[in-house]
Amino acid sequence: MTEQAAGAFAPSAPAPACADAPAGEGCAIRYEDVSFSYRPKTPFIEGLSAHIAAGAVTSIIGPNGCGKSTLVKLASGLLRPSAGRVEVAGRDTGALSPRERARMLAVLAQSSRIPPMTVSALVACGRHPHMGLGGRLGPRDQELVEAAMERAGVARFRDHDLRRLSGGERQRAFVAMTLAQDTDLIVLDEPTTYLDINACHDLMALVRDLNRREGKTVAMVIHDLDLALRYSDNLVVMQKGRVAAQGPVEDVLAAGAVGDAFQMDICPHDRLRPSERPGAPDEVERGYVLYPR
Amino acid sequence: MSSISRNIVVLAVTAALLVVATALGFMLGASSVSLPELVAWATGGDVTDAARNILENVRTPRVLAALLAGAALATSGALIQASLDNPLASPNVIGVNSGAGLFVLLAASLAPGALWLTPLAAFAGALVTALIIFALSLGTGISRLTVVLAGIAITTVFGAGMNTILIVDPDAYIGSSTFLVGGLSGVLMRDLGWPALYIVAGVVLALAGASKLNILALGDEAAHGLGLNVRGVRLGMLAVAAVLAGAAVSFAGLLGFVGLVVPHLVRFFVGHDNRWVVPVSALAGAAFVVGCDLLARVMFAPYELPVGILMAFIGGPFFIYLILKNRGGGLD
């Protein structure tokens, strides 16, 4: 595991909440009484209300087929709600043009295929919503692409073909693309799929670091419960197309909602770990052990 | 060498090949013209009447037709492959050429002598076929290989339609014997005016849309997330591809495989950035068809093969190679 990953176990900052705020304030994404169905007369999501707090890392978790990725697609405008309203930074996603939306939220979609391009070409795609008709990168775009590659730790692979990178390196390149998009809000749809355990923690550490240092709001759909619990401030627990619970991780855990959704007993496990900073006291690192009920 | 300087070299070499192929295309044939005579003619100098006659009345329409058809079909292939995200697709493989061919023969049979109608009919036929394929690939989420199989089915049906027209109304299309395989021997300057206009416009639009095709390569969801109007770009680019293929088919008949082979060869040299693939394909396609037409003329001189036959001999095996190469590469 890298230093960055190890450093990420610092106690998390208090999670900002937006549940009770007036519409749009403190909320990066707000779902208001949203319904959606993939097939006529078979509602998949009905009357769902949820929120992703600005300035925090929020994981959307739940068993397979519960509607996690649908929530992401509703926010990105790929799907339109049949009823209700989805807001990004206080604006109705349906009323935003695709480019406007892409300047407000960057989505790292689930993708089974790897585009045939170099890392720098991929990261440059992140500037698309900001480019004119000619599709040329200006000096400012170049600067942001460079900074995004540095930030995600893929600058040294800039001329490498994506198909020749490891899964973790490739996923970091995709994160760099979303950073080049230069939005306050980043949405990741199952970013750790196919990654080995080290790469998972590296990626999560990067994500949390982006939140802590650059103030990015991060929402992610994630399968791995341990990762979700360790690296998030807030949770949205989905079950059968509805929100079973949402709020700060410890509150949701204490209410038993996560265990109920997955039919698992979740046991926190603390250990002391020497601090990375010389002279500083040991840090408490919390992990979770899961037992099927 | 950086990828940009490498691509500039490839572009320059392709342009040089095009110039050489074009010069040879003017010079060689059943009766040859020497290089000094060609240069003199091109620069307005003194040439014999015989040489002038050959160059102006025989070679100019032929070479021009080859240039236009090659550029159009190769660009069309590059656009179709990128917009359907399918390395096996090209105007003839997915049936766009045969759609254009069927409509051309229908127009020629129903409204003989209406020359202006030919490229429009070709475009309409190409577009209808492209839309059918688009709807199939979009609506049913079928695999990339199934798109190709659907194209083969469409080609078969439209081919039967074309054969029916040619049997029922043999006068429908002058030079129809080479129409079905694609050939440039009967092309006259007057056939080229409208198609040339469509082809130039099509190539310009393709160049303008090339950077959007790069975004499309990330997959629909990611492209949408980057603010691309995925469906609009895909439909628009397929329409441009249909215009290009239709325009080429209207005078050259069903020239096969140039739209498949050339973009692949080009990608081998310049990579997958469509801002390079599109222009280099246009130049390389033009050079390829001019070169093939030249070979078709001189190989068995004084007899000549329709260029489409020669290109099928090259393209068929290449297609099999692509299928084998992509085996297990996600075509399903």
Side-chain angles (χ1 to χ4, degrees), chain B residues 247-315:
Chain B
V249 169
S250 73
F251 61 85
L254 306 186
L255 274 186
F257 290 115
V258 54
L260 178 78
V261 176
V262 172
H264 275 286
L265 290 178
V266 167
R267 274 190 215 101
F268 180 76
F269 290 105
V270 303
H272 287 74
D273 186 340
N274 287 294
R275 289 170 303 176
W276 289 99
V277 173
V278 170
V280 178
S281 290
L283 292 180
F288 182 69
V289 175
V290 171
C292 283
D293 187 48
L294 180 65
L295 277 181
R297 267 186 281 155
V298 300
M299 268 192 338
F300 303 107
Y303 304 103
E304 63 171 76
L305 283 173
V307 64
I309 289 182
L310 185 70
M311 284 168 48
F313 276 129
I314 300 170

Side-chain angles (χ1 to χ4, degrees), chain A residues 157-232:
Chain A
F157 305 123
R158 74 184 69 236
D159 293 324
H160 290 215
D161 191 313
L162 284 170
R163 291 167 295 189
R164 295 178 59 190
L165 297 184
S166 75
E169 292 161 350
R170 197 183 301 132
Q171 201 62 324
R172 279 174 164 265
F174 276 98
V175 170
M177 181 182 80
T178 60
L179 289 178
Q181 222 170 314
D182 196 23
T183 58
D184 292 333
L185 170 60
I186 299 178
V187 178
L188 311 168
D189 195 355
E190 300 196 11
T192 56
T193 312
Y194 307 126
L195 298 190
D196 66 39
I197 184 77
N198 273 337
C200 284
H201 281 279
D202 275 353
L203 189 72
M204 287 295 102
L206 170 65
V207 164
R208 200 154 82 165
D209 209 43
L210 289 170
N211 166 258
R212 297 292 187 263
R213 294 191 192 192
E214 270 120 273
K216 301 267 185 197
T217 300
V218 181
M220 55 187 177
V221 167
I222 190 156
H223 262 300
D224 189 311
L225 262 185
D226 178 55
L227 291 178
L229 297 171
R230 278 180 193 233
Y231 290 97
S232 313

